[in-house]
Short mmCIF file of all heavy atoms in Angstrom, two decimals:
data_model
loop_
_atom_site.label_atom_id
_atom_site.label_comp_id
_atom_site.label_asym_id
_atom_site.label_seq_id
_atom_site.Cartn_x
_atom_site.Cartn_y
_atom_site.Cartn_z
N LEU A 1 -91.84 -40.82 66.71
CA LEU A 1 -93.09 -41.23 66.08
C LEU A 1 -93.42 -42.65 66.53
O LEU A 1 -92.53 -43.49 66.70
CB LEU A 1 -92.96 -41.21 64.56
CG LEU A 1 -92.72 -39.85 63.91
CD1 LEU A 1 -92.47 -40.01 62.42
CD2 LEU A 1 -93.89 -38.91 64.14
N SER A 2 -94.69 -42.92 66.70
CA SER A 2 -95.12 -44.27 67.07
C SER A 2 -95.04 -45.17 65.83
O SER A 2 -94.97 -44.68 64.70
CB SER A 2 -96.57 -44.23 67.57
OG SER A 2 -97.45 -43.96 66.49
N PRO A 3 -95.05 -46.48 66.02
CA PRO A 3 -95.03 -47.38 64.87
C PRO A 3 -96.17 -47.10 63.87
O PRO A 3 -95.96 -47.15 62.66
CB PRO A 3 -95.16 -48.77 65.50
CG PRO A 3 -94.52 -48.61 66.84
CD PRO A 3 -94.93 -47.22 67.29
N SER A 4 -97.36 -46.79 64.36
CA SER A 4 -98.47 -46.51 63.43
C SER A 4 -98.26 -45.19 62.69
O SER A 4 -98.60 -45.07 61.50
CB SER A 4 -99.82 -46.51 64.16
OG SER A 4 -99.88 -45.45 65.10
N GLU A 5 -97.68 -44.20 63.36
CA GLU A 5 -97.36 -42.94 62.67
C GLU A 5 -96.30 -43.16 61.60
O GLU A 5 -96.39 -42.61 60.50
CB GLU A 5 -96.88 -41.88 63.68
CG GLU A 5 -97.98 -41.37 64.57
CD GLU A 5 -97.46 -40.51 65.71
OE1 GLU A 5 -96.40 -40.83 66.29
OE2 GLU A 5 -98.14 -39.51 66.03
N LEU A 6 -95.29 -43.97 61.91
CA LEU A 6 -94.26 -44.29 60.91
C LEU A 6 -94.87 -44.99 59.71
O LEU A 6 -94.51 -44.70 58.57
CB LEU A 6 -93.17 -45.17 61.53
CG LEU A 6 -92.18 -44.47 62.43
CD1 LEU A 6 -91.29 -45.49 63.12
CD2 LEU A 6 -91.34 -43.47 61.64
N GLU A 7 -95.79 -45.90 59.95
CA GLU A 7 -96.44 -46.61 58.85
C GLU A 7 -97.26 -45.65 57.99
O GLU A 7 -97.25 -45.74 56.76
CB GLU A 7 -97.32 -47.74 59.38
CG GLU A 7 -97.95 -48.59 58.28
CD GLU A 7 -96.93 -49.23 57.36
OE1 GLU A 7 -95.80 -49.53 57.78
OE2 GLU A 7 -97.29 -49.43 56.17
N ASP A 8 -97.96 -44.71 58.61
CA ASP A 8 -98.70 -43.69 57.85
C ASP A 8 -97.77 -42.89 56.95
O ASP A 8 -98.06 -42.65 55.78
CB ASP A 8 -99.46 -42.75 58.79
CG ASP A 8 -100.63 -43.40 59.48
OD1 ASP A 8 -101.09 -44.48 59.01
OD2 ASP A 8 -101.11 -42.84 60.49
N TRP A 9 -96.63 -42.45 57.50
CA TRP A 9 -95.65 -41.69 56.71
C TRP A 9 -95.09 -42.54 55.57
O TRP A 9 -94.91 -42.06 54.45
CB TRP A 9 -94.51 -41.19 57.60
CG TRP A 9 -94.84 -39.94 58.33
CD1 TRP A 9 -95.21 -39.83 59.64
CD2 TRP A 9 -94.83 -38.61 57.81
NE1 TRP A 9 -95.44 -38.52 59.96
CE2 TRP A 9 -95.21 -37.74 58.85
CE3 TRP A 9 -94.55 -38.08 56.56
CZ2 TRP A 9 -95.31 -36.38 58.67
CZ3 TRP A 9 -94.64 -36.70 56.39
CH2 TRP A 9 -95.02 -35.88 57.44
N ARG A 10 -94.81 -43.81 55.87
CA ARG A 10 -94.26 -44.71 54.85
C ARG A 10 -95.25 -44.86 53.69
O ARG A 10 -94.87 -44.76 52.52
CB ARG A 10 -93.93 -46.06 55.49
CG ARG A 10 -93.21 -47.02 54.60
CD ARG A 10 -92.80 -48.31 55.33
NE ARG A 10 -91.84 -47.99 56.39
CZ ARG A 10 -92.09 -48.08 57.70
NH1 ARG A 10 -93.28 -48.48 58.12
NH2 ARG A 10 -91.18 -47.80 58.58
N GLU A 11 -96.50 -45.12 54.00
CA GLU A 11 -97.52 -45.29 52.96
C GLU A 11 -97.69 -44.02 52.13
O GLU A 11 -97.79 -44.08 50.90
CB GLU A 11 -98.84 -45.71 53.59
CG GLU A 11 -98.85 -47.11 54.14
CD GLU A 11 -100.12 -47.45 54.90
OE1 GLU A 11 -101.07 -46.64 54.88
OE2 GLU A 11 -100.16 -48.53 55.51
N CYS A 12 -97.73 -42.89 52.80
CA CYS A 12 -97.90 -41.61 52.12
C CYS A 12 -96.71 -41.33 51.19
O CYS A 12 -96.88 -40.90 50.05
CB CYS A 12 -98.05 -40.51 53.16
SG CYS A 12 -98.35 -38.88 52.47
N THR A 13 -95.51 -41.59 51.68
CA THR A 13 -94.31 -41.35 50.88
C THR A 13 -94.26 -42.26 49.67
O THR A 13 -93.96 -41.83 48.55
CB THR A 13 -93.05 -41.54 51.75
OG1 THR A 13 -93.11 -40.63 52.84
CG2 THR A 13 -91.79 -41.29 50.95
N GLU A 14 -94.57 -43.53 49.86
CA GLU A 14 -94.57 -44.47 48.74
C GLU A 14 -95.60 -44.07 47.68
O GLU A 14 -95.32 -44.13 46.47
CB GLU A 14 -94.82 -45.89 49.23
CG GLU A 14 -93.64 -46.47 49.97
CD GLU A 14 -93.93 -47.83 50.59
OE1 GLU A 14 -95.07 -48.34 50.45
OE2 GLU A 14 -93.00 -48.38 51.20
N ALA A 15 -96.78 -43.64 48.09
CA ALA A 15 -97.81 -43.21 47.14
C ALA A 15 -97.35 -41.96 46.39
O ALA A 15 -97.55 -41.85 45.18
CB ALA A 15 -99.12 -42.94 47.87
N ALA A 16 -96.73 -41.02 47.10
CA ALA A 16 -96.26 -39.79 46.45
C ALA A 16 -95.16 -40.11 45.44
O ALA A 16 -95.13 -39.52 44.35
CB ALA A 16 -95.74 -38.81 47.50
N ILE A 17 -94.27 -41.03 45.76
CA ILE A 17 -93.20 -41.41 44.83
C ILE A 17 -93.79 -42.06 43.58
O ILE A 17 -93.39 -41.74 42.46
CB ILE A 17 -92.18 -42.33 45.52
CG1 ILE A 17 -91.38 -41.54 46.55
CG2 ILE A 17 -91.26 -42.99 44.50
CD1 ILE A 17 -90.51 -42.38 47.44
N GLU A 18 -94.74 -42.96 43.77
CA GLU A 18 -95.38 -43.60 42.62
C GLU A 18 -96.03 -42.56 41.71
O GLU A 18 -95.89 -42.61 40.48
CB GLU A 18 -96.42 -44.61 43.07
CG GLU A 18 -95.84 -45.89 43.62
CD GLU A 18 -96.91 -46.86 44.08
OE1 GLU A 18 -98.06 -46.77 43.60
OE2 GLU A 18 -96.59 -47.69 44.94
N GLN A 19 -96.74 -41.60 42.29
CA GLN A 19 -97.39 -40.55 41.49
C GLN A 19 -96.35 -39.68 40.80
O GLN A 19 -96.52 -39.30 39.64
CB GLN A 19 -98.30 -39.70 42.37
CG GLN A 19 -99.53 -40.46 42.83
CD GLN A 19 -100.39 -39.65 43.78
OE1 GLN A 19 -100.10 -38.49 44.07
NE2 GLN A 19 -101.44 -40.26 44.29
N ARG A 20 -95.26 -39.36 41.50
CA ARG A 20 -94.23 -38.50 40.92
C ARG A 20 -93.54 -39.19 39.75
O ARG A 20 -93.28 -38.59 38.72
CB ARG A 20 -93.21 -38.11 42.00
CG ARG A 20 -92.15 -37.14 41.58
CD ARG A 20 -92.72 -35.85 40.97
NE ARG A 20 -93.80 -35.32 41.74
CZ ARG A 20 -93.77 -34.26 42.50
NH1 ARG A 20 -92.68 -33.56 42.59
NH2 ARG A 20 -94.82 -33.85 43.16
N LEU A 21 -93.26 -40.50 39.88
CA LEU A 21 -92.59 -41.23 38.81
C LEU A 21 -93.50 -41.41 37.60
O LEU A 21 -93.01 -41.58 36.48
CB LEU A 21 -92.11 -42.59 39.31
CG LEU A 21 -90.94 -42.54 40.29
CD1 LEU A 21 -90.60 -43.94 40.78
CD2 LEU A 21 -89.73 -41.86 39.67
N ALA A 22 -94.80 -41.36 37.80
CA ALA A 22 -95.73 -41.47 36.68
C ALA A 22 -95.68 -40.22 35.81
O ALA A 22 -96.03 -40.28 34.62
CB ALA A 22 -97.16 -41.70 37.19
N GLY A 23 -95.24 -39.10 36.37
CA GLY A 23 -95.12 -37.85 35.61
C GLY A 23 -93.79 -37.80 34.87
O GLY A 23 -92.99 -38.73 34.88
N GLN A 24 -93.53 -36.67 34.24
CA GLN A 24 -92.33 -36.53 33.42
C GLN A 24 -91.27 -35.61 34.03
O GLN A 24 -90.26 -35.35 33.39
CB GLN A 24 -92.72 -35.99 32.04
CG GLN A 24 -93.64 -36.92 31.28
CD GLN A 24 -93.00 -38.27 31.01
OE1 GLN A 24 -91.84 -38.35 30.63
NE2 GLN A 24 -93.75 -39.33 31.23
N SER A 25 -91.50 -35.13 35.23
CA SER A 25 -90.54 -34.19 35.80
C SER A 25 -90.40 -34.39 37.30
O SER A 25 -91.10 -35.19 37.91
CB SER A 25 -90.97 -32.75 35.52
OG SER A 25 -92.20 -32.49 36.19
N LEU A 26 -89.48 -33.66 37.88
CA LEU A 26 -89.22 -33.63 39.32
C LEU A 26 -88.76 -34.98 39.87
O LEU A 26 -89.07 -35.34 40.99
CB LEU A 26 -90.43 -33.10 40.08
CG LEU A 26 -90.79 -31.65 39.79
CD1 LEU A 26 -92.05 -31.26 40.53
CD2 LEU A 26 -89.67 -30.70 40.13
N HIS A 27 -88.03 -35.73 39.05
CA HIS A 27 -87.35 -36.93 39.52
C HIS A 27 -86.14 -37.16 38.62
O HIS A 27 -85.98 -36.54 37.58
CB HIS A 27 -88.28 -38.14 39.54
CG HIS A 27 -88.87 -38.51 38.22
ND1 HIS A 27 -88.16 -39.17 37.26
CD2 HIS A 27 -90.09 -38.29 37.71
CE1 HIS A 27 -88.93 -39.37 36.20
NE2 HIS A 27 -90.11 -38.82 36.45
N ASN A 28 -85.25 -38.05 39.04
CA ASN A 28 -84.02 -38.29 38.30
C ASN A 28 -84.08 -39.56 37.46
O ASN A 28 -83.05 -40.13 37.12
CB ASN A 28 -82.82 -38.36 39.25
CG ASN A 28 -82.83 -39.60 40.12
OD1 ASN A 28 -83.89 -40.13 40.44
ND2 ASN A 28 -81.66 -40.06 40.52
N GLN A 29 -85.26 -40.01 37.10
CA GLN A 29 -85.39 -41.28 36.39
C GLN A 29 -85.73 -41.12 34.91
O GLN A 29 -86.19 -42.07 34.28
CB GLN A 29 -86.45 -42.14 37.08
CG GLN A 29 -86.12 -42.47 38.52
CD GLN A 29 -84.88 -43.32 38.65
OE1 GLN A 29 -84.82 -44.42 38.11
NE2 GLN A 29 -83.89 -42.82 39.36
N GLN A 30 -85.49 -39.95 34.32
CA GLN A 30 -85.78 -39.78 32.89
C GLN A 30 -84.98 -40.76 32.04
O GLN A 30 -85.45 -41.26 31.04
CB GLN A 30 -85.49 -38.34 32.44
CG GLN A 30 -86.49 -37.33 32.91
CD GLN A 30 -86.19 -36.80 34.31
OE1 GLN A 30 -85.21 -37.17 34.94
NE2 GLN A 30 -87.05 -35.94 34.81
#
């Protein structure tokens, strides 16, 4: 992956994690 592709994946993953943690399931942080 190019550096810009890696940055796109990083941003997408971080946003998905933030959204997932805002919910009540599908993570280990209860």
Side-chain angles (χ1 to χ4, degrees):
L1 296 174
S2 70
S4 65
E5 289 170 321
L6 284 172
E7 184 58 30
D8 290 343
W9 278 101
R10 187 175 296 112
E11 290 173 7
C12 183
T13 301
E14 288 174 359
I17 290 170
E18 286 179 24
Q19 290 176 3
R20 185 55 45 108
L21 290 177
Q24 298 299 316
S25 65
L26 296 176
H27 60 78
N28 70 330
Q29 299 296 301
Q30 287 85 1

